[in-house]
Amino acid sequence: MFAALVLAAASNVAPLFFNDFGGNWTCGNAQYHSQWSITSPDGDYWTIVQYGLDPKHPGGTAYVGWLAQENAYVYNDYHNDGSFAQLTAPEPVNGTWIWTGRYYQTGTKAPDMQPYITWKVSDGKIVRTFAKRTPGGKIVPTGNDTCTRR
């Protein structure tokens, strides 16, 4: 009985990311624009995020899904330049997804352990903010962008 309840809870949580962000988007700000596709093949537990090339911001592919053992979403992001982000987020609060974890930038020796990224749908757009957490826990903004449906 308990296993059935856990499975039912996980199946209710699993599609939240796709339900919030699925579709085709143009994302960017004053510095760049990129085409995004967020899909979840029929019967697939994972959501696939593919983002297009921009000379200053290479594209890549991410896989997002609910990992019941961690009680969190995982966002494993493979950048075409060789960088890699391994982020997690709890269930969203008031529609805001907060991603933290590690970012392994190509050409650096140690991972960035302080990313703090939020995603939220507002007025039909995805609003993303990028920040760093200081050792004292302060959130320092580093940038943002917006995605609109195409």
Side-chain angles (χ1 to χ4, degrees):
M1 174 84 174
F2 178 73
L5 289 174
V6 170
L7 183 59
S11 66
N12 290 334
V13 173
L16 287 179
F17 182 84
F18 178 74
N19 291 346
D20 281 358
F21 304 112
N24 294 310
W25 304 86
T26 299
C27 299
N29 55 30
Q31 287 77 40
Y32 80 99
H33 286 87
S34 179
Q35 302 303 310
W36 285 57
S37 172
I38 302 176
T39 61
S40 185
D42 289 339
D44 197 336
Y45 195 79
W46 297 93
T47 296
I48 303 166
V49 179
Q50 294 180 298
Y51 47 100
L53 294 174
D54 175 279
K56 295 179 184 173
H57 296 85
T61 302
Y63 298 92
V64 184
W66 177 255
L67 192 58
Q69 295 88 338
E70 295 292 326
N71 197 35
Y73 283 86
V74 294
Y75 191 112
N76 288 337
D77 189 357
Y78 302 85
H79 299 226
N80 288 346
D81 69 355
S83 299
F84 173 66
Q86 190 171 38
L87 307 173
T88 61
E91 288 184 56
V93 176
N94 297 323
T96 300
W97 295 71
I98 300 173
W99 299 98
T100 59
R102 295 180 175 94
Y103 175 58
Y104 301 85
Q105 185 174 5
T106 297
T108 61
K109 291 187 179 196
D112 175 357
M113 305 288 284
Q114 304 305 322
Y116 187 92
I117 303 164
T118 63
W119 288 40
K120 182 177 178 97
V121 174
S122 179
D123 296 327
K125 298 178 181 183
I126 301 172
V127 177
R128 300 186 314 157
T129 61
F130 307 97
K132 300 262 187 197
R133 293 171 295 161
T134 66
K138 183 178 177 184
I139 306 299
V140 179
T142 59
N144 62 65
D145 69 8
T146 302
C147 305
T148 54
R149 284 202 187 270
R150 51 180 171 102

